[in-house]
C-alpha cells in the first residue's frame, strides 16, 4: 500500500515537473519570436508535416464520418428527424471529432517525427553544436516547428472535416436512404462559421502542444541510441493525453454558449 | 585566456568534477588527458558554457561565464569553436552548408563571399571541393576535418577538440594531429584538446593536464610531464610505451 502511494506520488511529481518544464519552454519559444522567424524553415516544415499526414487524416475522418452517420441515421429516421442528420454530423465533426482526430493523427506522425529528429540531434551532439555556434536551438528548431504545426494542423483539420462530412454523406445517401438534398440542406441550416473556426482554433492549440511536447521530449531524451525510441513514445503518449484534456476545456470556452 | 577556479560539477547527487583549478594561456595548446569517464568532456563542456558548473568560476578573457544567461554566453561563444567527438555535423545539410552555418547565422556576408570562405577553410583541412557532399557519405576522418572546418569558419580565438582522434586509424590520427598544429600556427589560436591518446598529446601540446576521476592531477609542460614521478602519470605513459 505505501509502495503504491509512493509510486503514485512519484508519478504526480514527475508530471508536475514535466508541466513546469513545458510551460517554461512555451514561454521561451514565444520570447524567441521577438526575432523574426526563419520563414524558409517554417514553410519547409509545413510542407513536410502536412504531406506526411494527409492520407491518414483522410482515411481516419472518412470512416469516422461514415460510421457515425451509420449509427445516428437509423435512430434519427425512426424519430422523423432525417432533416437534421447532415447538420448533426457536420457539427460533431467540425467542433470535436475533426480537431481531436487530426490532433491524434498529427501527434502520431508529426510529433513522433519531430521527437525522433530532435532526439537524434541531441544524441549526436548536434544540439550542442548549434549552441556552440551561438545559435539557440529554441529559435532555430522549435520556433519553425511550432509555427508550422500551429498553421498546418488547422489546415489539415478543415481538410479532414470536409472528408468526414463527405463520409457521412456517402453513408446517408448510399445506405440510409437520406436524399442528397436533405443532407446538404441540413448542413446549411445547422452549421455556422463559428463551428469551423472554433475547431480550427482548437486544432491550432493542438498543433502547438504537439510541436512543443515533441521538441521537449526530443531535447530531454535519454542518452544513447535507445533514447530516441523512448523519447518518441513519450512524446506521442503525452501529446494525445494533453489533447484530450485540453479539448474538453476548449469546448467549454468555445462552444458552451 | 581561460581560467577555472575551484570548479565543481554534479549531475544529480553525484559529483563528477571535484574542484578543478586550471589555466589555459593565450596561444598555447593544452592537452587534457585521462581515462574514459574521468570527466574530460565534462570539463570541456564547462569551459564552453554548454553546462553550468555547480560552483566555482570559469573565466574566459575577462568574463566569468559561470551562471551566465544563454544570450550572454552566445557573445562569448562567437570567439570559440569546437570539434565534437563524433563530429556532430548537421546531417540534413551538405558539407558546404555545415561550414557556412555560423557565417550565415551571424554575418551579413554575401553568398559569394561565404562560398569563398567555405572553400578556403575546406582547403585548409585538406578537403578542397567537398562542398556538395553529404555528411553521411563521409568517413570518420573526413567528418572530423569538416567539423574542424566548421569550427574555424568563424575565425575563433579558442578551439576546443573533444577526442579528435578517437575511432581513427593511426595514419589518420597523425594527419589530424598535424592539422591541429597547423591550424594553431595558421590562425594563432588557443587550443584545448581532450584526448586519451598519450602520443597525440605529446606531439601537439605545449602543456599536458591530467584528469583522474574528476580531479586535476597535474598540469605541466610536455617535457616536465614526461619526467613526473606521480604513479598515475607513469601508468599512463607506460601504457602508451612512452617511458
Ligand atoms: N549529462 C550527464 N548526466 C549524468 N552523468 C553524466 C553526464 N555527463 C557525464 N556524466 C558522467 O560524468 C562522468 C564523466 O563523463 P565524461 O566527462 O563524458 O568523461 P570522459 O569524456 O572523460 O570520458 C561519467 O561517469 C559520466 O557518466
Ligand atoms: Mg568524452
Amino acid at each position: 500500500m505505501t509502495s503504491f502511494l509512493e509510486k503514485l506520488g512519484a508519478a504526480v511529481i514527475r508530471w508536475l515537473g514535466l508541466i513546469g518544464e513545458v510551460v517554461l519552454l512555451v514561454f521561451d519559444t514565444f520570447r524567441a519570436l521577438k526575432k523574426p522567424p526563419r520563414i524558409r524553415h517554417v514553410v519547409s516544415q509545413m510542407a513536410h508535416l502536412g504531406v506526411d499526414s494527409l492520407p491518414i487524416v483522410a482515411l481516419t475522418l472518412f470512416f469516422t464520418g461514415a460510421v457515425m452517420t451509420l449509427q445516428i441515421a437509423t435512430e434519427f429516421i425512426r424519430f422523423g428527424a432525417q432533416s437534421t442528420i447532415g447538420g448533426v454530423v457536420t457539427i460533431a465533426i467540425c467542433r470535436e471529432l475533426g480537431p481531436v482526430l487530426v490532433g491524434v493523427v498529427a501527434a502520431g506522425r508529426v510529433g513522433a517525427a519531430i521527437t525522433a529528429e530532435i532526439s537524434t540531434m541531441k544524441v549526436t551532439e548536434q544540439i550542442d553544436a548549434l549552441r556552440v555556434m551561438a545559435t539557440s536551438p529554441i529559435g532555430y528548431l522549435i520556433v519553425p516547428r511550432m509555427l508550422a504545426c500551429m498553421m498546418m494542423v488547422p489546415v489539415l483539420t478543415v481538410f479532414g472535416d470536409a472528408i468526414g462530412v463527405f463520409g457521412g454523406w456517402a453513408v446517408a445517401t448510399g445506405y440510409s436512404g437520406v436524399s442528397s438534398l436533405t443532407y446538404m440542406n441540413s448542413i446549411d441550416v445547422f452549421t455556422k462559421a463559428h463551428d469551423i473556426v472554433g475547431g480550427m482554433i482548437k486544432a491550432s492549440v493542438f498543433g502547438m502542444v504537439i510541436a512543443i511536447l515533441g521538441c521537449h521530449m526530443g531535447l530531454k531524451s535519454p542518452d544513447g541510441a535507445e533514447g530516441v525510441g523512448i523519447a518518441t513514445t513519450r512524446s506521442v503518449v503525452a501529446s494525445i493525453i494533453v489533447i484530450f484534456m485540453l479539448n474538453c476545456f476548449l469546448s467549454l470556452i468555445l462552444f458552451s454558449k | 585566456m581561460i581560467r577555472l577556479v575551484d570548479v565543481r560539477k554534479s549531475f544529480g547527487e553525484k559529483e563528477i568534477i571535484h574542484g578543478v583549478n586550471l589555466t589555459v594561456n593565450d596561444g598555447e595548446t593544452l592537452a587534457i588527458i585521462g581515462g574514459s569517464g574521468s570527466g574530460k568532456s565534462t570539463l570541456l563542456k564547462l569551459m564552453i558554457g554548454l553546462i553550468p558548473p555547480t560552483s566555482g568560476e570559469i573565466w574566459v578573457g575577462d568574463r566569468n561565464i559561470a551562471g551566465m544567461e544563454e544570450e550572454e554566453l552566445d557573445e562569448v561563444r562567437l570567439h570559440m569553436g569546437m570539434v565534437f567527438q563524433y563530429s556532430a555535423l548537421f546531417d540534413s545539410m551538405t558539407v558546404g552548408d555545415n561550414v557556412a552555418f555560423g557565417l550565415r547565422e551571424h554575418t551579413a556576408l554575401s553568398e559569394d563571399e561565404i562560398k569563398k570562405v567555405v572553400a578556403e577553410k575546406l582547403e585548409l583541412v585538406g578537403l578542397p571541393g567537398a562542398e556538395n557532399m553529404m555528411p553521411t557519405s563521409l568517413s570518420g576522418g573526413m567528418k572530423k576535418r569538416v567539423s574542424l572546418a566548421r569550427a574555424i569558419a568563424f575565425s575563433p580565438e579558442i578551439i576546443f577538440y573533444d577526442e579528435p582522434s578517437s575511432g581513427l586509424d593511426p595514419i589518420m590520427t597523425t594527419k589530424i594531429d598535424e592539422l591541429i598544429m597547423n591550424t594553431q600556427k595558421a590562425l594563432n589560436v588557443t587550443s584545448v584538446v581532450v584526448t586519451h591518446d598519450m602520443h597525440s598529446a605529446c606531439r601537439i601540446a605545449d602543456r599536458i593536464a591530467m584528469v583522474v576521476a574528476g580531479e586535476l592531477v597535474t598540469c605541466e609542460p610536455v617535457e616536465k610531464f614526461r619526467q613526473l614521478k606521480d604513479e598515475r602519470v607513469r601508468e599512463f605513459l607506460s601504457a602508451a610505451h612512452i617511458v
Side-chain angles (χ1 to χ4, degrees), chain B residues 125-185:
Chain B
V125 299
L127 287 172
E131 278 93 340
N132 292 323
M133 298 177 85
M134 291 307 283
T136 41
S137 68
L138 303 179
S139 70
M142 287 164 92
K143 280 187 191 165
K144 286 271 162 67
R145 286 189 277 171
V146 175
S147 192
L148 176 58
R150 183 175 70 177
I152 59 177
F154 216 70
S155 306
E157 288 149 32
I158 309 169
I159 306 181
F160 299 92
Y161 299 84
D162 194 356
E163 312 257 4
S165 53
S166 80
L168 301 182
D169 61 62
I171 296 171
M172 188 48 78
T173 300
T174 313
K175 275 198 185 143
I176 295 280
D177 285 349
E178 277 164 10
L179 209 51
I180 293 173
M181 291 188 279
N182 291 344
T183 307
Q184 204 278 332
K185 275 193 217 108

Side-chain angles (χ1 to χ4, degrees), chain B residues 182-194:
Chain B
N182 291 344
T183 307
Q184 204 278 332
K185 275 193 217 108
L187 307 175
N188 193 26
V189 289
T190 308
S191 314
V192 181
V193 187
V194 157

Side-chain angles (χ1 to χ4, degrees), chain A residues 223, chain B residues 11 14 16 35-43 162-163:
Chain A
D223 284 328
Chain B
F11 291 110
K14 208 166 151 226
I16 300 291
S36 129
S38 54
K40 306 181 299 293
S41 297
T42 306
L43 264 183
D162 194 356
E163 312 257 4

Side-chain angles (χ1 to χ4, degrees), chain A residues 38 124 126 131 133-134 140, chain B residues 50 70 77 93 105-106:
Chain A
R38 293 153 226 258
T124 55
Q126 291 177 54
R131 293 176 58 206
M133 286 190 279
Y140 190 79
Chain B
L50 280 173
E70 195 78 5
R77 289 189 187 129
M93 299 178 197
E105 284 292 309
H106 302 295

